[in-house]
């Protein structure tokens, strides 16, 4: 059969509230054209993130009921530990409430001024946690990884020559660890090959530097290895995952992605000295080491999620559905980052809306129009997110993308068809779209709370905006 179906039936449903364009216009004005400020009830299809938005299975809900909430030594911790250790056999596995909590603990121990942490591409929270300690976060993805329309099977690969050159230049003693983000979210959800993981490990061993994985989407990365690296075609995903982690000395993990749960994470490692320091910090900020910021029921749901996420029928459907969206957008003439990532399709808004200059935020303009036209919420990853400099000036980001992140096991093919139709219609009249301007912004991480106005907005709208803003700020 050529038709790939969702490998599940739906036992419990959540209604979607349908809205009109007129209603959405009001919601958007009230949200100051910032999609993070919308009530999710007013969103028809929510593609803001794949993080914490998965549907749990009947078995996971059954696990939730089994959760043991003892403060210390809970059997739910044992189940969690066994499930993680089976795939990622590290000596120390420390649960945290989400990925960034694991990052915060890790970099508090090993970061600091004068240190460098190298990665294919740091995710924003990873970079922020490194920089918070005074250390520098360096991205060393292969050059192909930065060209949106270039096809390459493993665009998340580390640039091995630059990795070694950097270590030689700055000295291995100043590099407490090297990371690989699998898949490379900030680079378009692109995978890293097993060959590249091995090469990275070889360089790390040569200079005696530990290798850590940012493991959020490890199962999706393993599926790409099975599909695209011929020597792994007949190896099970489970064995591929185990091999990936056999080259690592530790990992940070957000269970909100490939553990198929709504909250959770962990920090794992082999180094006993770092692990002891990590547990001490964990007790300060997260909790006792057998629950670390999670309830027993959460640990149970993670354990079951880890069994389900390496199911090859699930992964086949998961990656095929992302590719389905990418293929149809390409056929409709919409420029996207190629090939499709594991968890998301990224539209090249700078290219699609070439009449809008980067400092008028083509990504934001497209995301806003997607909401107005069809109630679809997506995320700008471009000049709004990265353009504001430390000194308060603004500069265009390397790319202006809109990420359509697909929650796991949540939407069916007809939901995705709706997204394709909406974007096809917008693309047909793309020249009518106008840029945006920022009328208020915080000093950092402005994309979450900045307030915008369309460049062509009516005067009354501007006046209303200013009045509302003044009323709120007095
Ligand atoms: N690393 C990567 C590669 C991520 O994508 C994320 C989160 C984190 C770390 C942090 O994990 O959210 O559990 O603290 N990414 C989400 C996203 C937020 O939308 O891409 P967290």
């Amino acid at each position: 059969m050529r038709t790939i179906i969702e490998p599940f039936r739906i036992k419990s449903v959540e209604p979607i509230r349908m809205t009109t364009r007129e209603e959405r216009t009001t919601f958007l004005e009230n949200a100051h054209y910032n999609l993070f400020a919308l009530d999710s009830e007013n969103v028809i299809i929510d593609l803001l993130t794949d993080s914490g938005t998965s549907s749990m299975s009947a078995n996971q809900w059954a696990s939730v009921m089994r959760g043991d909430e003892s403060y210390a030594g809970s059997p739910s911790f044992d189940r969690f530990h066994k499930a993680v250790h089976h795939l990622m056999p590290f000596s120390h596995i420390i649960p945290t409430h989400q990925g960034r909590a694991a990052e915060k603990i890790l970099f508090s121990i090993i970061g600091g001024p004068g240190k460098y942490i190298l990665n294919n591409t740091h995710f924003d929270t990873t970079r922020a946690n490194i920089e918070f300690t005074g250390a520098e976060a360096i991205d060393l993805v292969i050059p192909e990884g930065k060209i949106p329309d270039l096809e390459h099977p493993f665009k998340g690969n580390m640039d091995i020559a630059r990795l070694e050159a950097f270590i030689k230049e700055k000295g291995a003693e100043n590099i407490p660890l090297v990371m690989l983000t699998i898949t490379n979210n900030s680079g378009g959800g692109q995978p890293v090959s097993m060959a590249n993981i091995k090469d990275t490990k070889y360089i790390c061993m040569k200079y005696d530097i530990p290798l850590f994985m940012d493991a959020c989407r490890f199962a999706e990365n393993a599926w790409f290895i099975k599909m695209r690296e011929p020597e792994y075609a007949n190896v099970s995903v489970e064995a591929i995952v185990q091999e990936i982690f056999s080259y690592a000395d530790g990992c940070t993990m957000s269970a909100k992605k490939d553990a198929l749960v709504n909250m959770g994470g962990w920090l794992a490692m082999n180094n006993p000295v770092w692990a002891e320091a990590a547990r001490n910090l964990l007790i300060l900020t997260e909790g006792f080491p057998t629950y670390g910021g999670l309830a027993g029921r959460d640990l149970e749901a993670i354990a079951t999620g880890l069994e389900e996420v390496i199911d090859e029928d699930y992964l086949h459907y998961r990656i095929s559905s992302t590719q389905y969206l990418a293929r149809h957008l390409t056929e409709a003439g919409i420029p996207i980052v190629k090939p499709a990532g594991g968890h998301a399709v990224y539209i090249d808004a700078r290219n699609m809306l070439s009449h809008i200059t980067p400092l008028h935020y083509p990504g934001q303009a497209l995301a806003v129009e997607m909401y107005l036209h069809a109630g679809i919420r997506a995320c700008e990853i471009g000049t709004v997110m990265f353009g504001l400099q430390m000194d308060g000036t603004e500069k265009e980001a390397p790319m202006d993308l809109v990420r359509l992140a697909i929650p796991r096991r949540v939407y069916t093919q007809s939901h995705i068809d709706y997204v394709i139709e909406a974007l096809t219609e917008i693309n047909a009249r793309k020249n009518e779209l106008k840029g945006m301007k920022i009328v208020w912004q915080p000093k950092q991480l402005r994309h979450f709370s900045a307030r915008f106005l369309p460049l062509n907005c009516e005067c009354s709208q501007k006046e209303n905006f200013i009045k509302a803003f003044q009323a709120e700020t007095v």
Side-chain angles (χ1 to χ4, degrees):
M1 290 292 296
R2 275 189 310 150
T3 306
I4 298 160
I5 58 168
E6 289 84 5
F8 47 80
R9 295 183 300 185
I10 297 168
K11 181 178 283 196
S12 176
V13 297
E14 269 183 285
I16 293 176
R17 200 173 86 78
M18 303 309 282
T19 51
T20 62
R21 185 175 176 113
E22 206 183 1
E23 287 172 319
R24 292 193 291 271
T25 305
T26 309
F27 298 143
L28 201 57
E29 280 176 16
N30 292 341
H32 304 287
Y33 296 87
N34 188 324
L35 300 161
F36 285 96
L38 289 171
D39 288 341
S40 61
E41 280 174 349
N42 297 330
V43 174
I44 295 177
I45 306 278
D46 205 345
L47 306 182
L48 193 61
T49 180
D50 66 318
S51 179
T53 51
S54 303
S55 288
M56 293 219 294
S57 66
N59 268 339
Q60 283 179 293
W61 285 110
S63 309
V64 163
M65 287 307 294
R66 231 183 11 228
D68 178 296
E69 304 304 340
S70 306
Y71 188 90
S74 159
S76 297
F77 175 74
D78 290 342
R79 237 195 119 225
F80 160 84
H81 188 275
K82 201 162 156 230
V84 177
H85 194 265
H86 176 67
L87 297 175
M88 311 177 182
F90 299 116
S91 323
H92 304 273
I93 297 167
I94 301 171
T96 58
H97 79 273
Q98 63 184 93
R100 66 197 72 184
E103 293 164 0
K104 169 79 179 151
I105 292 172
L106 177 65
F107 297 117
S108 301
I109 297 167
I110 60 158
K115 304 272 194 239
Y116 301 90
I117 310 292
L118 319 184
N119 203 330
N120 45 358
T121 313
H122 291 277
F123 181 66
D124 2 349
T125 59
T126 324
R127 170 175 289 279
N129 274 305
I130 292 167
E131 290 173 352
F132 189 72
T133 71
E136 272 185 59
I138 309 290
D139 294 341
L140 296 171
V141 73
I142 53 169
E144 292 89 332
K146 292 187 188 155
I147 307 171
D149 57 356
L150 183 93
E151 290 272 357
H152 183 290
F154 291 104
K155 276 173 112 172
N157 279 356
M158 180 75 95
D159 186 331
I160 300 296
R162 279 171 67 217
L163 173 68
E164 183 160 25
F166 192 94
I167 298 172
K168 279 190 183 154
E169 189 195 327
K170 301 291 182 187
E173 66 285 6
N174 297 317
I175 302 172
L177 63 82
V178 170
M179 285 190 105
L180 274 175
T181 303
I182 56 172
T183 58
N184 190 23
N185 183 12
S186 305
Q190 301 291 330
V192 180
S193 70
M194 192 73 91
N196 190 259
I197 294 172
K198 283 195 226 171
D199 288 347
T200 306
K201 176 64 179 171
Y202 173 76
I203 299 292
C204 288
M205 277 170 62
K206 188 167 161 192
Y207 294 94
D208 206 14
I209 302 173
L211 173 64
F212 270 51
M213 298 288 165
D214 177 339
C216 297
R217 300 176 179 87
F218 69 93
E220 291 171 6
N221 200 98
W223 181 256
F224 281 120
I225 289 175
K226 186 175 170 91
M227 291 297 111
R228 296 182 186 170
E229 258 178 304
E231 56 274 45
Y232 289 92
N234 297 318
V235 182
S236 71
V237 164
E238 186 176 26
I240 294 173
V241 170
Q242 288 162 336
E243 185 176 338
I244 291 175
F245 289 99
S246 73
Y247 301 122
D249 303 285
C251 75
T252 55
M253 173 73 188
S254 168
K256 300 171 76 172
K257 286 83 170 174
D258 269 354
L260 298 172
V261 293
N262 307 116
M263 190 48 80
W266 61 87
L267 171 62
M269 61 187 79
N270 290 328
N271 182 325
V273 179
W274 288 4
E276 195 188 331
R279 288 204 182 92
N280 289 337
L281 277 179
L282 187 86
I283 292 175
L284 281 185
T285 58
E286 295 280 296
F288 190 72
T290 59
Y291 70 84
L294 293 172
R297 65 178 85 98
D298 298 327
L299 296 168
E300 290 275 352
I302 291 173
T304 305
L306 287 177
E307 286 162 16
E308 292 176 0
V309 81
I310 56 167
D311 179 288
E312 302 196 4
D313 291 332
Y314 159 74
L315 284 168
H316 184 205
Y317 136 79
R318 167 77 178 153
I319 302 301
S320 304
S321 61
T322 315
Q323 288 170 343
Y324 175 88
L325 173 58
R327 190 170 67 246
H328 283 85
L329 293 182
T330 302
E331 279 168 15
I334 297 166
I336 59 165
V337 175
K338 287 186 185 149
H343 66 295
V345 173
Y346 295 67
I347 301 177
D348 183 352
R350 186 176 295 175
N351 180 348
M352 177 175 166
L353 304 179
S354 54
H355 60 289
I356 302 180
T357 63
L359 292 182
H360 288 148
Y361 317 122
Q364 187 68 15
L366 178 60
V368 159
E369 185 56 29
M370 284 171 66
Y371 178 71
L372 279 177
H373 186 68
I376 300 163
R377 176 158 71 168
C379 184
E380 191 262 11
I381 302 198
T383 304
V384 174
M385 198 180 265
F386 302 119
L388 183 62
Q389 307 301 299
M390 299 284 262
D391 62 5
T393 59
E394 197 179 27
K395 121 173 159 207
E396 65 182 62
M399 297 190 265
D400 278 294
L401 306 177
V402 173
R403 181 179 79 168
L404 312 180
I406 321 243
R408 293 170 181 76
R409 305 190 295 205
V410 171
Y411 293 118
T412 63
Q413 186 172 331
S414 65
H415 292 115
I416 298 299
D417 286 338
Y418 175 89
V419 174
I420 294 164
E421 187 179 330
L423 274 158
T424 307
E425 286 173 3
I426 294 171
N427 193 44
R429 54 177 178 76
K430 62 183 180 186
N431 292 331
E432 293 166 18
L433 268 62
K434 298 280 187 298
M436 313 280 304
K437 63 181 168 194
I438 291 182
V439 290
W440 178 84
Q441 61 184 12
K443 290 202 174 71
Q444 278 163 332
L445 294 173
R446 67 175 176 179
H447 56 287
F448 290 124
S449 57
R451 294 171 169 203
F452 302 84
L453 275 181
L455 285 179
N456 61 336
C457 89
E458 302 295 324
C459 285
S460 64
Q461 219 178 329
K462 262 191 234 164
E463 279 159 20
N464 287 344
F465 177 86
I466 290 164
K467 266 191 229 140
F469 187 57
Q470 282 167 345
E472 274 173 42
T473 46
V474 269

